Amino acid sequence: MAKAAAVLAIEGADAAGPAVLVCEHASNALPKDWGDPGIDAAQQQSHVAWDPGALDLARGLARLLDAPLIFGRVSRLIYDLNRPPHSPAAMPDRSELHDIPGNRDLAPALRRRRTDEIYLPFHAALAAMLAHRLAIGQMPVLITVHSFTPVYFGRPRAVEFGVIHDRDDRLARAIAAAATGLETRLNAPYSAADGVAHTLALHATPMGLRHAMLELRNDLLAGGAGAAMAQRLAPVLRAAIGDAA
């Protein structure tokens, strides 16, 4: 339990709403136990190491939707919880334009340890959360919360709010069709074809659960704006969950 608590947190486990929220890239923490990834302080604060603003948004949505929230407590540079163990992006040695020298040529024993102590406990906890709801006759809706950088490989991104899905597009389409005042696109700036829907594919699709991955451009979450964005999006999610049933 102590090891699991170091890499994941659950808030509102007994919340009664239909949604279960996940924030895989909530933290930029780089615990010394995992070694030095070789990045500087500015990189650690940037999208390289985490999804800035995503946790504040996820917490706001969880409160407004009466939903449980599970989130990661270590940087995606140690282990990206939205990637399977065989993916090069699970423990990346490069992120966009940034080299991650500490992840280059990782020893197999360290890759296995990161998988054992970070990836497996997180996804076991999420699977249990969903299974407990299914066991009492609920059909939870799985929503993952992310942010993305306004400029990627030197190119500005016009999209402000992306909604991504795995095989079942009902919930994502209902969210993307809603009036939010944001430049909203379905399956942008990424899609499942880019390998970004692992959590949805692992937990929602096999159980037939409605699902969506929310991507907010991180400049819209800066300076503590996540709570206000949650107020803006919660009614949209609530209506979409009902409409997509």
Side-chain angles (χ1 to χ4, degrees), residues 39-111:
I39 62 171
D40 61 29
Q43 290 171 313
Q44 187 176 354
Q45 293 300 318
S46 76
H47 188 77
V48 173
W50 63 329
D51 281 0
L55 181 57
D56 285 346
L57 173 61
R59 280 176 162 155
L61 290 173
R63 178 177 57 81
L64 293 167
L65 298 174
D66 191 21
L69 168 64
I70 178 170
F71 60 92
R73 298 186 66 188
V74 298
S75 169
R76 63 158 142 245
L77 298 181
I78 304 300
Y79 193 104
D80 186 328
L81 291 165
N82 194 30
R83 300 295 189 278
H86 62 281
S87 170
M91 294 165 255
D93 60 14
R94 188 168 178 81
S95 176
E96 192 194 359
L97 300 173
H98 304 269
D99 287 323
I100 316 299
N103 279 353
R104 193 175 301 127
D105 301 320
L106 283 177
L110 182 53
R111 294 184 67 88

Side-chain angles (χ1 to χ4, degrees), residues 94-165:
R94 188 168 178 81
S95 176
E96 192 194 359
L97 300 173
H98 304 269
D99 287 323
I100 316 299
N103 279 353
R104 193 175 301 127
D105 301 320
L106 283 177
L110 182 53
R111 294 184 67 88
R112 178 168 178 171
R113 181 179 162 229
R114 291 184 183 187
T115 301
D116 282 345
E117 296 186 20
I118 303 173
Y119 174 84
L120 290 177
F122 183 88
H123 285 286
L126 176 55
M129 186 182 293
L130 296 171
H132 291 161
R133 283 161 172 73
L134 290 165
I136 59 173
Q138 298 177 0
M139 285 296 287
V141 173
L142 184 60
I143 298 176
T144 64
V145 183
H146 296 257
S147 71
F148 64 93
T149 180
V151 178
Y152 191 62
F153 283 100
R155 301 184 66 177
R157 287 162 155 170
V159 61
E160 296 177 317
F161 179 28
V163 191
I164 298 160
H165 60 83

Side-chain angles (χ1 to χ4, degrees), residues 141-143 164-172 175 200 204-205 208-213:
V141 173
L142 184 60
I143 298 176
I164 298 160
H165 60 83
D166 191 45
R167 293 184 191 172
D168 185 338
D169 65 357
R170 289 174 296 166
L171 181 63
I175 296 169
L200 301 180
T205 296
L209 304 180
R210 291 175 293 147
H211 58 266
M213 176 178 175

